[in-house]
Amino acid sequence: MSVIENKLAELGVTLPDAPAPAANYVPYVIAGDMVYVSGQISANADGMIKGKLGDDTTAEDGALAAKTCAISLLAQLKAACGGDIDRLVRVVKLVGFVNSTPDFGDQPKVINGASDFMVAALGDKGRHARSAVSAASLPFGVAVEIEAIFQIK
């Protein structure tokens, strides 16, 4: 088991198989030493995590949903690295979209669920630039979608 996967195991996380794309796009693109991972929606073993922040979903629940996106992002990274996730140099950037009402303003708290997880799992390699934005709706009614840029060796 890799160093990163050992740390994930300590956190009680096992990376799932990388989710397949839901439409006409690829899950990731490698350009040089950068991996651009398509948006990963909030989902777990029970299915999609749906909801609208500021209406039927709390910021805390949204943060948990964002964490599931981060786990899927790492699963895609592992696939992009041919199974060797220890090729990761660093998380460069996360862009988080939060399905929220017009008056909801805690998008950063929601996306912290992914950011905090990346740092807990990867240490300094997990520190990244970030955007956290509101969306009037997201595919399938999910609560959160996050895309990422990773640097690999």
Side-chain angles (χ1 to χ4, degrees), residues 69-104:
C69 296
I71 292 167
S72 292
L73 288 165
L74 291 180
Q76 291 292 359
L77 174 65
K78 180 179 176 183
C81 290
D84 183 8
I85 196 169
D86 284 341
R87 289 178 57 197
L88 175 69
V89 172
R90 72 168 304 143
V91 180
V92 176
K93 185 168 186 180
L94 298 182
V95 180
F97 303 93
V98 180
N99 184 358
S100 53
T101 61
D103 60 337
F104 183 80

Side-chain angles (χ1 to χ4, degrees), residues 15 40 65-75 113-115 117-118 146:
L15 291 180
Q40 301 296 298
K67 178 182 175 183
T68 69
C69 296
I71 292 167
S72 292
L73 288 165
L74 291 180
S115 294
F117 175 76
M118 290 294 192
I146 303 175

Side-chain angles (χ1 to χ4, degrees), residues 99-148:
N99 184 358
S100 53
T101 61
D103 60 337
F104 183 80
D106 282 336
Q107 290 82 5
K109 286 182 182 177
V110 171
I111 302 304
N112 279 347
S115 294
D116 293 347
F117 175 76
M118 290 294 192
V119 173
L122 306 171
D124 284 341
K125 290 181 179 186
R127 297 191 186 285
H128 53 271
R130 185 183 88 180
S131 298
V133 298
S134 179
S137 67
L138 288 173
F140 313 109
V142 296
V144 181
E145 179 175 351
I146 303 175
E147 63 182 55

Side-chain angles (χ1 to χ4, degrees), residues 23-34:
N24 187 18
Y25 63 91
V26 294
Y28 56 83
V29 171
I30 300 171
D33 65 347
M34 306 300 278

